[in-house]
Amino acid sequence: MEQKLVFHPLGDQAVLVSFGNSISQELSRAVYSLYHALRKNADPSWLDIIPAYASVTVVFEARQLATQSTSPYEAQVKKIRTVAELATEIQGKEQRKISIPVCYHPDFAFDSTAICKRMKLSEAELVDLHTEKSYFVYMIGFLPGFAYMGSVDPRIASPRLDKPRTLVPKGSVGIAGFQTGIYPFDSPGGWNIIGRTPINMFDLKNEEPVLLQPGDEVHFYAIDINTFNEMQQQQPVSVQS
């Protein structure tokens, strides 16, 4: 692996492997190269391996390493470095391209009016700006199936709400900063909600419960509320790829 790795202890039972402090597709691919290599060559002492935008965290069981002469942290860094040398950049893997329908009807777009007022846009322009480009899936987090995607057009980039909602409906499509994402379940949340999709982001009945995966390219397309209701009644709905 060509990227420089920087190691940091997280408490006494975790190692943070940092690739930097920026967000880019290049770093994301490097993160998941290491993540998959660690999964493939997992040590018995590892309890969890957690990828993020520009880092991978390895949680380990320190008691399994108590008899070693080096500290548990140093022992883990050595193991991770060894695996990192085996990791190769994720290249040649065909990037999945997935199209997801979104209804931007005012009943679903709780924050569109505020965004449009702040950015001096019409609601039609907001929809056009959100649907005219594709988004890279950087990571899955917060909730099972919640994909962090970017980057939205600067004209619709919006800070998180000052006061998060106690309930954001399942399927809500939101914006936070330059990120966009879809809530897979009813949950609290502080993103700006601009629409809703009838597609399930997480379904335990599927062989792979999580619909979107890091590295996917996602495109949103607008549907009206009648189409939304029809598609929701047809669950499960197949996405376009």
Side-chain angles (χ1 to χ4, degrees), residues 24-114:
S24 72
Q25 294 186 25
E26 179 184 3
L27 280 188
S28 181
R29 292 189 178 96
V31 164
Y32 280 91
S33 294
L34 178 59
Y35 169 72
H36 289 300
L38 292 170
R39 289 274 308 264
K40 185 177 180 180
N41 300 277
D43 186 85
S45 66
W46 294 347
L47 302 177
D48 202 1
I49 304 168
I50 308 165
Y53 270 114
S55 66
V56 178
T57 297
V58 178
V59 182
F60 59 89
E61 175 55 75
R63 286 178 295 181
Q64 292 194 27
L65 307 169
T67 60
Q68 297 190 10
S69 57
T70 58
S71 71
Y73 169 75
E74 292 170 337
Q76 292 299 334
V77 168
K78 182 177 180 180
K79 291 178 182 181
I80 295 168
R81 283 191 186 279
T82 299
V83 174
E85 293 175 359
L86 305 175
T88 56
E89 199 72 25
I90 298 177
Q91 295 176 345
K93 178 183 176 182
E94 185 176 352
Q95 184 180 39
R96 294 198 311 168
K97 297 184 178 182
I98 298 174
S99 295
I100 294 180
V102 177
C103 179
Y104 296 91
H105 190 276
D107 287 354
F108 300 150
F110 308 145
D111 301 301
S112 289
T113 299

Side-chain angles (χ1 to χ4, degrees), residues 136-174:
F136 183 83
V137 177
Y138 285 97
M139 59 174 280
I140 306 297
F142 174 49
L143 294 168
F146 190 104
Y148 287 80
M149 297 175 271
S151 298
V152 301
D153 189 287
R155 287 170 287 180
I156 59 174
S158 301
R160 285 177 170 83
L161 302 177
D162 292 334
K163 184 178 180 181
R165 292 184 173 89
T166 56
L167 177 63
V168 177
K170 171 186 174 181
S172 292
V173 178

Side-chain angles (χ1 to χ4, degrees), residues 120-241:
K120 297 181 172 57
L121 298 169
S122 69
E123 294 192 10
E125 288 173 323
L126 186 154
V127 173
D128 288 344
L129 289 170
H130 192 248
T131 57
E132 71 180 8
K133 64 181 299 185
S134 296
Y135 301 96
F136 183 83
V137 177
Y138 285 97
M139 59 174 280
I140 306 297
F142 174 49
L143 294 168
F146 190 104
Y148 287 80
M149 297 175 271
S151 298
V152 301
D153 189 287
R155 287 170 287 180
I156 59 174
S158 301
R160 285 177 170 83
L161 302 177
D162 292 334
K163 184 178 180 181
R165 292 184 173 89
T166 56
L167 177 63
V168 177
K170 171 186 174 181
S172 292
V173 178
I175 293 174
F178 286 90
Q179 305 168 113
T180 188
I182 304 169
Y183 284 77
F185 308 103
D186 292 349
S187 76
W191 289 35
N192 300 271
I193 304 304
I194 62 170
R196 194 176 301 173
T197 180
I199 302 298
N200 284 330
M201 294 294 105
F202 183 87
D203 191 340
L204 283 173
K205 295 191 295 292
N206 296 334
E207 183 177 351
E208 175 49 69
V210 177
L211 176 62
L212 301 179
Q213 298 293 332
D216 287 348
E217 180 181 312
V218 176
H219 173 259
F220 297 109
Y221 65 96
I223 57 174
D224 60 31
I225 195 165
N226 291 328
T227 303
F228 175 92
N229 291 331
E230 291 172 3
M231 294 181 74
Q232 195 170 49
Q233 292 171 6
Q234 295 169 2
Q235 292 289 352
V237 179
S238 298
V239 295
Q240 299 177 17
S241 59

